[in-house]
Amino acid sequence: MTELRTASVDAVPGPRAGVTRARILAGVRGAGLPVAIALIVGGVVLAVTGNNPFVVYGMLVREAFGDVNRIDATLAAATPLLFTAVAAAFAYRAGVFTVGVEGSFVLGGLTAAVVGSSVGGLPPVLAVAVTLLSATVAGGAAAAIPALLRARWSVDEVVTTLMFNFIVIGVANWSVQAFFQQRGQANSATAYVAPAAELPPLNPPNQANVGLIIAIVVVAGYAVWMRRSVLGFEFRAVGSAPRFSLAQGLRVRLVVFVAILGAGLIGGLGGGAHALGIVHRYTSGFSASFGFTGIAIALLARFNPIGIVVGAILFGALNSAGATVQLFVNIPIQLIDILQGTVMVFAVASFAIPRFMKRARRGAGRDDA
């Protein structure tokens, strides 16, 4: 009955301002503890290595948000994370735990690089549109088989999407070496995309580009989809109470399929935007684990669109400022990984612990009866 009440309350409209405020506060409370614990753990690491945590954290803040150029670098680093976090949240809303966004991001990036290098004769708007559409389709293709396996035969999506990451990334790197490698390049890299296919920077010559605007539009679309569409309601219902949804005749298989496929499509679009806006080609190591970091952000935000934006900026700030701070302070190069990993661990724990406590209380109630 608890799951049923959760799904029902979620569907009942209320005063918009109050509901929005409550969701924001819930997201802040949910994210606050993992971030605080991560900062404490990072502070201990810094203290053990002979650094003042307050000085280092102050430098991180200044390097991430100290002036317009630093804010631009933070937003550029946050852009791919916005795509991958929305992709993960899109699937998790339906109770589907896909980890395949990384593979979709990589295949979308490769497709954008290959297509983008051959559309120089098209008008810029059309060249970008064709390239990003191709990347989106490629990202969906990377997720199609795991989606079918999960929806049709209930094959565990965690295993299939994780394994498909290795398959897709391996095939992408091999295809570059075999078919698309630019002549004269010592490393595995494609040709640069045509100037017509590049996403223009928002503040030249810095890196933040139109891909950021596209990412914000995707976040807004995700919010509208989940709250205003019929299938979005089915996502929430299936994610909250899958057995009840099946008994009520909801399209559970379709929801599961669309969840995994949609995550792949969004991931592919993110890879395409990263290729056209930042890298301008595909190289080995194209993704700095953006797909996996997106999982942490989605969980940290509790699938809240505003929380996703805040989380992506937070992780983008760590990525952009961390490398710069290491030039001035002798801090462990792994500090940023420690902070991000700790946030992910406790973000997952914030979901698991309440469920564990609920089951423990139910078990205690049965024993007392």
Side-chain angles (χ1 to χ4, degrees):
M1 288 297 294
T2 303
E3 293 179 339
L4 174 58
R5 285 197 299 271
T6 301
S8 299
V9 170
D10 198 37
V12 176
R16 288 187 179 181
V19 172
T20 302
R21 191 180 304 111
R23 289 173 185 158
I24 294 174
L25 291 176
V28 170
R29 286 195 299 268
L33 182 59
V35 172
I37 294 174
L39 292 175
I40 293 171
V41 172
V44 171
V45 173
L46 289 169
V48 169
T49 56
N51 295 284
N52 187 326
F54 298 101
V55 172
V56 174
Y57 286 155
M59 291 185 66
L60 283 172
V61 173
R62 288 194 301 273
E63 290 299 323
F65 305 106
D67 57 35
V68 173
N69 292 332
R70 288 166 177 158
I71 293 174
D72 187 283
T74 294
L75 293 177
T79 299
L81 300 177
L82 285 170
F83 286 104
T84 57
V86 171
F90 182 84
Y92 298 165
R93 268 294 196 177
V96 180
F97 198 91
T98 176
V99 292
V101 178
E102 179 77 3
S104 294
F105 186 93
V106 167
L107 191 59
L110 173 61
T111 303
V114 173
V115 174
S117 64
S118 60
V119 293
L122 297 177
V125 173
L126 184 58
V128 170
V130 169
T131 305
L132 289 181
L133 179 61
S134 301
T136 303
V137 172
I145 293 178
L148 181 62
L149 291 173
R150 174 63 174 84
R152 183 67 181 84
W153 293 285
S154 299
V155 179
D156 190 286
E157 71 275 12
V158 176
V159 176
T160 55
T161 53
L162 179 62
M163 292 300 102
F164 260 77
N165 281 338
F166 293 105
I167 294 171
V168 169
I169 294 172
V171 169
N173 291 334
W174 165 77
S175 62
V176 171
Q177 296 174 359
F179 306 109
F180 305 121
Q181 183 163 337
Q182 175 72 352
R183 291 184 178 180
Q185 292 287 334
N187 59 337
S188 298
T190 64
Y192 284 99
V193 300
E198 293 182 357
L199 293 177
L202 298 176
N203 182 31
N206 294 315
Q207 287 191 317
N209 57 79
V210 173
L212 175 63
I213 297 176
I214 298 173
I216 295 297
V217 171
V218 170
V219 174
Y222 161 74
V224 173
W225 162 274
M226 285 300 169
R227 292 292 162 189
R228 303 300 175 193
S229 71
V230 174
L231 193 54
F233 166 76
E234 292 187 58
F235 265 53
R236 300 197 309 275
V238 171
S240 300
R243 293 183 180 178
F244 174 78
S245 300
L246 185 62
Q248 292 299 308
L250 296 182
R251 301 170 293 179
V252 175
R253 287 187 175 181
L254 176 63
V255 166
V256 169
F257 182 82
V258 171
I260 299 176
L261 185 67
L265 292 170
I266 298 170
L269 176 61
H274 189 59
L276 300 187
I278 301 293
V279 186
H280 302 303
R281 60 175 178 172
Y282 179 90
T283 62
S284 180
F286 173 80
S287 172
S289 298
F290 294 128
F292 297 110
T293 306
I295 294 174
I297 295 170
L299 293 175
L300 186 66
R302 293 177 178 266
F303 321 135
N304 183 300
I306 296 175
I308 287 173
V309 173
V310 174
I313 292 174
L314 170 64
F315 276 74
L318 289 173
N319 289 332
S320 66
T324 305
V325 169
Q326 288 167 7
L327 297 176
F328 303 102
V329 182
N330 185 26
I331 63 174
I333 194 172
Q334 295 83 7
L335 174 65
I336 304 304
D337 293 333
I338 292 172
L339 291 174
Q340 293 182 346
T342 305
V343 170
M344 176 178 278
V345 168
F346 285 96
V348 174
S350 68
F351 276 86
I353 291 175
R355 294 180 182 179
F356 175 78
M357 297 298 293
K358 184 186 297 184
R359 291 175 183 173
R361 287 193 298 268
R362 288 176 181 173
R366 294 192 188 98
D367 292 340
D368 293 340

